[in-house]
Amino acid sequence: MAPPVALTIDGRAIQAAPGTLVIDAARANGIEIPAFCYYKGLSLQAACRMCLVEVAGMPKLMTACTTIVSEGMVVRTDTPQVAEARKYMLEFLLTNHPLDCPVCDKGGECELQDMAFRYGAGESRYTETKVHTPEKQFSPVVFYDAPRCILCFRCVRICDEGMGVKALGVINRGVTSEIAPNHGDHLECDECGACIDICPVGALTSGAYRYQTRPWEMDHVGTVCAHCADGCTTTLGTRNGRIVRGNNRDRSGINGEFLCIKGRYAFDFNDHPERLQSPLVRRNGKLEEVSWSEALATVGGKFKAALEAGGAFGVVGSNHTSNEENYYLQKFARQALRTNHIDHHRTGDVVTLLDALAPRTGQMATFADSYERQAILIVGADLALEHPLLSYQIRANYRHHQARIYVVTPRPVREDNYAAAVQRGADYASLRPRLQAEPELVVLFDDSVKGDAVRKLVEFGESLGIPVKYVCLVDYANSRGALDMGVTPELLPGYQLSGQPGMRLDEMMAADLDVLWVVGANPLKNGAARKAGFLVVQDLFLTETAAQADVVLPAASAYEKNGTVTNATGEVQRLTRAVETMGAKTDLEIMGFLAREMGVAALLGPWSPSAVWEEIRSSVPGYAGGRVPVEAKVEAVRSDHNGLFASGTLGRYSKVLHSVVESRQGR
Ligand code: SF4
Ligand code: SF4
Ligand code: SF4
Ligand code: FES
């Protein structure tokens, strides 16, 4: 590694790696240089001139965001000349700015407001009428108010470079310059809201949040997105018991500030008017509202009677409930109900992958691998639509590290635009010569590769003679956790063989079970009729399955509970309760109360999330792998292939997702 460069900033001796920008060297040493257009991770723009500094020997002030450190450089950020330059730049930026902070969504979080306060003049010398243009709506999600725009081009760059969408550009010249959408007057884009989030002022605002509240009136709760399996952290802004905003501006979690439309806006399913708020019991063919105690007594009594009569139980777990809930559910099924008929909707063949790799455990790629490894092979998946964060991360790997991306998909995908090689179809083997020449590889594959095809893929990886890691893509927020926690007949928590026969999900749905207990899933969504003698469903909504139940128990959403979930790349992350819905209980509470009704609570142990988590930690081995029976059926492994504007059952109850889909249909 090249030796560091020595320089001084404001009289302080500083060392920085060669190639470091002065602004970064200063910030790394606690010296703040104001900036609007500079944004770490995006290309340089040098548009706003806020970052001007004095550099000894230079005739004029220099932009710290484009000046690279050099040996012996002497930089000053605190001279009268610099202060004056900042003041004049702010005066320019405010020339046509409307000063409507009291009604602007950004008020209280606005970088221009902060800078004007710290570096600006108390008054403007401009007396001319300000140029004004009316606000525009670019899409159901994105609104643009040109007079507030300071033309920093962050939005244009995040959309182009970060999202790979290129939906925003600039039109006109001089004071009439404006940001414009890619299709005349409207956007055709991912509707991710990244442009809104990154805008330093209130020029871009969101249809979902605007004019609802002020930042200081909200509580801010960090938790994990309830939708896909990528596992973004989201900060939910809540007010009066409602979620009003989702963002990740503190850049916590694996996603930094990234969120797709679902994480940023589709929290609105949570207070959909059709949320269940009371238990329902079927009487004379109709579901009627009853008290919790009556519903729990009905279910507990029925479970107990069926158990005593030697009845057959089936249990269906969820891709959305927490690890603690899935763990407790399988324990309930196996130890209290004495059944091994337990499964969930599997959306990727993680089980075969772990088995094909066994006994090696270090070849499951982490999320960080998708950003750090030098070559990526994508098999089958349309990442930009189905795994937006992984797509974003791989794009960043390409931009920041020049990673080579290899694409083997049936249809064109966004990754084609920067791929080292594209193969349409499924024939990844034809890329062998290119892949063999790589120093390392991460392979991501979807449900088009399952069963023996997974074993073949792993054999192919082995044959390359380079370190290879894998990601088996799964659909939902806790798809991976449901597998990890043993919600399958063949495997116990931690992928230990159960050694017991048990029905898979499709077999349970076709069987004449005495009792079927469905926790957070909708296996009858395709309209099939139930077969079980007694059906209990825990869910947020009256789904197709719940509508056929004998008892429906209203469940809390992921935003209403504590616990953990595990994303597609195996990171275990913490859920934190942000709000509550009257009448609903968490699935763990419901299971705990049912255990008490049945007199098996002592057998199953405490049911608080922290107690169950401790039990998981102490009793579940790591992903040790084990030989999975070769006859394991994989036909039922099926991804829902949700695009950006769908999210299984939850997506059906999101107004924001509907509004985007409808706006496109209307064109
Ligand atoms: S919402 Fe996302 S995809 Fe659409 S213009 Fe903004 S950054 Fe681009
Ligand atoms: S809309 Fe916001 S992010 Fe885009 S150029 Fe204007 S001020 Fe910058
Ligand atoms: S990429 Fe997935 S986890 Fe991240 S915000 Fe979107 S739906 Fe949520
Ligand atoms: S931050 Fe340097 S010119 Fe904008």
Side-chain angles (χ1 to χ4, degrees):
M1 229 169 84
V5 172
L7 68 157
T8 67
I9 303 183
D10 294 344
R12 281 173 54 187
I14 279 172
Q15 294 209 324
T20 305
L21 295 167
V22 168
I23 193 167
D24 286 336
R27 284 178 176 181
N29 288 278
I31 299 168
E32 184 56 30
I33 296 178
F36 285 120
C37 68
Y38 177 67
Y39 203 86
K40 206 159 175 56
L42 297 182
S43 61
L44 303 181
Q45 189 80 39
C48 72
R49 324 306 283 182
M50 267 311 284
C51 64
L52 292 171
V53 292
E54 267 182 40
V55 177
M58 292 294 168
K60 292 185 191 164
L61 298 179
M62 306 283 287
T63 48
C65 71
T66 54
T67 305
I68 289 171
V69 295
S70 61
E71 190 64 30
M73 186 182 245
V74 177
V75 180
R76 293 222 70 99
T77 74
D78 56 357
T79 65
Q81 200 192 353
V82 169
E84 195 174 48
R86 289 175 185 167
K87 202 166 74 181
Y88 291 149
M89 283 321 304
L90 281 164
E91 193 177 20
F92 274 133
L93 289 173
L94 292 169
T95 310
N96 288 304
H97 200 87
L99 299 184
D100 56 355
C101 307
V103 293
C104 175
D105 270 341
K106 205 75 177 185
E109 293 179 332
C110 175
E111 294 177 38
L112 182 60
Q113 205 176 36
D114 291 348
M115 298 238 199
F117 189 69
R118 284 171 71 179
Y119 306 114
E123 55 195 36
S124 170
R125 290 168 295 165
Y126 294 111
T127 53
E128 296 81 358
T129 308
K130 292 183 185 244
V131 174
H132 182 76
T133 48
E135 186 182 56
K136 301 179 177 73
Q137 182 172 4
F138 287 171
S139 78
V141 167
V142 184
F143 287 70
Y144 176 64
D145 191 7
R148 291 181 187 158
C149 176
I150 60 168
L151 292 169
C152 66
F153 309 115
R154 282 189 195 176
C155 55
V156 176
R157 285 173 289 153
I158 192 73
C159 189
D160 175 0
E161 300 164 22
M163 300 306 301
V165 174
K166 295 183 198 288
L168 294 171
V170 191
I171 54 168
N172 304 335
R173 307 289 299 249
V175 290
T176 59
S177 295
E178 281 185 17
I179 298 301
N182 56 348
H183 283 261
D185 62 347
H186 68 275
L187 283 170
E188 286 182 16
C189 72
D190 288 5
E191 306 282 2
C192 67
C195 51
I196 300 169
D197 204 27
I198 207 170
C199 180
V201 297
L204 289 167
T205 52
S206 96
Y209 170 73
R210 61 211 305 270
Y211 304 133
Q212 289 211 35
T213 183
R214 313 307 309 253
W216 57 87
E217 290 172 330
M218 291 185 283
D219 289 326
H220 303 274
V221 183
T223 188
V224 182
C225 171
H227 294 281
C228 92
D230 288 4
C232 295
T233 293
T234 172
T235 306
L236 299 175
T238 69
R239 188 178 172 199
N240 299 333
R242 275 188 67 226
I243 306 170
V244 285
R245 187 171 79 169
N247 69 18
N248 202 34
R249 287 309 301 270
D250 67 358
R251 298 178 172 214
S252 57
I254 56 174
N255 48 311
E257 65 201 324
F258 175 86
L259 287 173
C260 79
I261 179 171
K262 289 185 260 192
R264 204 182 294 280
Y265 304 117
F267 51 74
D268 59 348
F269 70 82
N270 209 72
D271 57 4
H272 191 282
E274 288 175 32
R275 272 295 293 274
L276 296 171
Q277 295 188 310
S278 168
L280 306 169
V281 169
R282 189 170 298 279
R283 287 194 187 121
N284 303 321
K286 274 189 154 163
L287 286 170
E288 289 179 9
E289 290 190 3
V290 297
S291 67
W292 267 104
S293 59
E294 187 179 342
L296 291 167
T298 305
V299 177
K302 185 73 192 180
F303 278 13
K304 220 168 155 183
L307 199 57
E308 282 161 10
F313 283 82
V315 176
V316 179
S318 171
N319 285 302
H320 289 285
T321 52
S322 69
N323 286 326
E324 292 73 12
E325 289 166 337
N326 279 324
Y327 179 86
Y328 194 87
L329 180 67
Q330 64 81 34
K331 197 173 169 191
F332 201 131
R334 290 184 163 116
Q335 294 185 18
L337 303 179
R338 296 197 285 276
T339 181
N340 198 42
H341 302 321
I342 176 163
D343 204 356
H344 69 286
H345 169 204
R346 304 183 206 191
T347 55
D349 197 0
V350 180
V351 174
T352 305
L353 174 63
L354 279 159
D355 187 52
L357 293 173
R360 292 155 295 161
T361 54
Q363 282 182 257
M364 297 293 275
T366 63
F367 182 73
D369 285 322
S370 63
Y371 180 63
E372 289 164 3
R373 301 293 145 211
Q374 297 178 53
I376 309 279
L377 169 63
I378 300 161
V379 181
D382 190 338
L383 291 183
L385 298 188
E386 297 177 18
H387 291 276
L389 173 62
L390 281 164
S391 174
Y392 178 84
Q393 187 77 343
I394 290 169
R395 221 162 18 251
N397 190 3
Y398 165 75
R399 281 178 15 248
H400 298 157
H401 310 135
Q402 294 76 50
R404 273 81 52 205
I405 316 298
Y406 298 90
V407 177
V408 183
T409 57
R411 284 174 292 281
V413 295
R414 192 171 299 165
E415 283 69 32
D416 291 354
N417 297 333
Y418 44 91
V422 175
Q423 179 68 42
R424 272 299 82 86
D427 177 21
Y428 53 79
S430 61
L431 295 174
R432 179 187 299 275
R434 298 286 304 266
L435 297 175
Q436 266 174 328
E438 292 291 353
E440 57 184 357
L441 186 67
V442 173
V443 183
L444 300 97
F445 63 94
D446 69 358
D447 70 328
S448 63
V449 183
K450 51 191 168 192
D452 278 343
V454 176
R455 298 182 194 281
K456 283 205 186 89
L457 182 62
V458 170
E459 276 167 29
F460 174 75
E462 295 291 292
S463 74
L464 295 174
I466 57 172
V468 182
K469 291 185 172 187
Y470 301 87
V471 179
C472 176
L473 297 163
V474 286
D475 284 8
Y476 296 108
N478 208 24
S479 289
R480 173 72 183 269
L483 287 162
D484 289 0
M485 293 299 116
V487 185
T488 61
E490 60 270 49
L491 295 165
L492 302 174
Y495 299 94
Q496 300 296 297
L497 288 182
S498 75
Q500 298 289 323
M503 291 186 202
R504 288 181 153 235
L505 178 58
D506 51 339
E507 292 166 333
M508 281 191 267
M509 300 319 292
D512 289 318
L513 294 165
D514 294 292
V515 174
L516 183 65
W517 182 17
V518 178
V519 177
N522 188 16
L524 299 175
K525 67 179 170 207
N526 296 331
R530 82 178 232 201
K531 297 205 78 180
F534 184 73
L535 175 62
V536 181
V537 175
Q538 298 177 201
D539 212 315
L540 279 68
F541 299 102
L542 197 66
T543 61
E544 287 83 350
T545 308
Q548 294 194 46
D550 294 291
V551 180
V552 182
L553 302 171
S557 77
Y559 296 140
E560 296 167 338
K561 60 177 73 159
N562 296 322
T564 62
V565 286
T566 309
N567 72 354
T569 40
E571 279 85 12
V572 179
Q573 303 191 94
R574 193 171 287 280
L575 294 174
T576 305
R577 176 186 294 138
V579 286
E580 285 180 64
T581 288
M582 181 109 68
K585 295 188 189 301
T586 69
D587 290 294
L588 192 55
E589 278 176 313
I590 299 172
M591 289 186 269
F593 287 131
L594 284 177
R596 204 156 67 184
E597 279 295 329
M598 290 181 68
V600 295
L603 171 73
L604 298 178
W607 65 79
S608 73
S610 54
V612 179
W613 173 243
E614 278 313 312
E615 185 174 333
I616 294 170
R617 279 190 354 151
S618 60
S619 65
V620 178
Y623 308 140
R627 302 309 301 178
V628 175
V630 187
E631 66 275 14
K633 286 180 266 158
V634 290
E635 313 85 67
V637 174
R638 192 171 303 130
S639 163
D640 281 340
H641 294 290
N642 290 304
L644 279 173
F645 311 127
S647 184
T649 305
L650 291 186
R652 289 198 232 159
Y653 295 93
S654 166
K655 277 189 241 144
V656 167
L657 295 183
H658 279 294
S659 69
V660 171
V661 172
E662 279 163 18
S663 78
R664 286 167 192 229
Q665 285 164 347
R667 284 194 197 112

